[in-house]
Amino acid sequence: PTTAAPRPAGPAEWVVSGPTTANRVALTFHTDGDLGLADQVLSILKSRNVVMTSFIVGRWLDANPTYAKKITDAGHELANHTNSHPTFGSLSAAAMTEEITRCRDLLIRLTGQGGKFFRPSGTADGRQRPSNTVLEVTGETGYPVALGFDVDPLDYNQPGADVVAQRTLDAVKPGSIISLHFNYPGTIAALPKILDGLAARQLTPVTTSQLLGR
């Protein structure tokens, strides 16, 4: 199917974390970059029987379309992270719309649905509420939730695996949404340590849909 997702009634809701009443957290990965590194992330998650939400950069998936099925067949959830990963908040409303819809329509073409969540790209602070324009465009393009995050180890700065793991585990709590990236070897090296730490804290990683119940 190539029909657009139904539009919510108004601007998207800005969400940075989930319920604190259950010992669950959402793992989210910004998904682009080297395919070998992507495969390593997926392999680690499979070995631990862990699922996550994959925030897709559209141009990456367009170049590697088999990864839509590869990711979803492993039980993971796909979401929209723009088409080309610009500094989203600096765009015009028309350019924002194009960035979201190009990724959304690709997801629909490859999987039959555009994903339940959108995350703006180029966001330095996952807790900071986006502009009204961002939330309005997100809603208009079919996404009721714009998703931030409350745990950010800044793995894209490549501080080293131990630092990535420690920052994550120092900040995580029930209901947290964790932001990680596919394309960094340090993140991959940190991932088993993060999963071990979550298990020690009796925190179960789930998809964003599972965490938020939507």
Side-chain angles (χ1 to χ4, degrees):
T2 56
T3 55
R7 294 183 176 183
E13 179 187 359
W14 175 241
V15 175
V16 300
S17 60
T20 61
T21 52
N23 288 336
R24 302 194 299 176
V25 299
L27 281 180
T28 69
F29 283 85
H30 300 225
T31 303
D32 64 352
D34 181 81
L35 297 183
L37 296 177
D39 287 339
Q40 289 182 57
V41 172
L42 295 174
S43 178
I44 292 169
L45 295 174
K46 181 179 180 180
S47 72
R48 301 296 190 97
N49 195 31
V50 168
V51 293
M52 56 85 180
T53 301
S54 183
F55 275 88
I56 294 290
V57 175
R59 64 183 178 187
W60 177 85
L61 188 61
D62 195 30
N64 305 287
T66 59
Y67 273 77
K69 188 172 188 298
K70 188 169 189 175
I71 292 169
T72 56
D73 280 357
H76 308 303
E77 173 180 44
L78 299 182
N80 188 323
H81 194 41
T82 75
N83 183 65
S84 65
H85 205 273
T87 303
F88 192 78
S90 69
L91 301 179
S92 67
M96 289 179 185
T97 298
E98 182 178 4
E99 281 287 335
I100 298 176
T101 56
R102 287 184 67 182
C103 184
R104 180 200 68 194
D105 292 350
L106 175 65
L107 290 171
I108 291 171
R109 177 164 60 83
L110 294 176
T111 71
Q113 56 184 344
K116 295 180 180 179
F117 307 101
F118 168 72
R119 174 175 286 166
S121 54
T123 301
D125 182 353
R127 296 174 181 264
Q128 184 175 356
R129 183 185 183 275
S131 69
N132 290 338
T133 301
V134 169
L135 296 178
E136 288 164 3
V137 170
T138 301
E140 288 170 359
T141 51
Y143 294 94
V145 173
L147 196 78
F149 42 88
D150 65 322
V151 177
D152 183 8
L154 305 176
D155 58 334
Y156 52 86
N157 288 333
Q158 304 188 70
D162 289 341
V163 173
V164 171
Q166 194 60 53
R167 286 176 177 172
T168 302
L169 296 172
D170 284 348
V172 75
K173 59 186 182 297
S176 283
I177 297 174
I178 302 168
S179 172
L180 296 167
H181 294 73
F182 262 37
N183 197 38
Y184 298 98
T187 304
I188 295 164
L191 187 53
K193 301 176 184 180
I194 292 171
L195 297 177
D196 287 344
L198 294 177
R201 291 161 172 76
Q202 297 184 323
L203 293 171
T204 302
V206 296
T207 66
T208 302
S209 288
Q210 291 169 336
L211 181 70
L212 299 181
R214 56 173 101 184

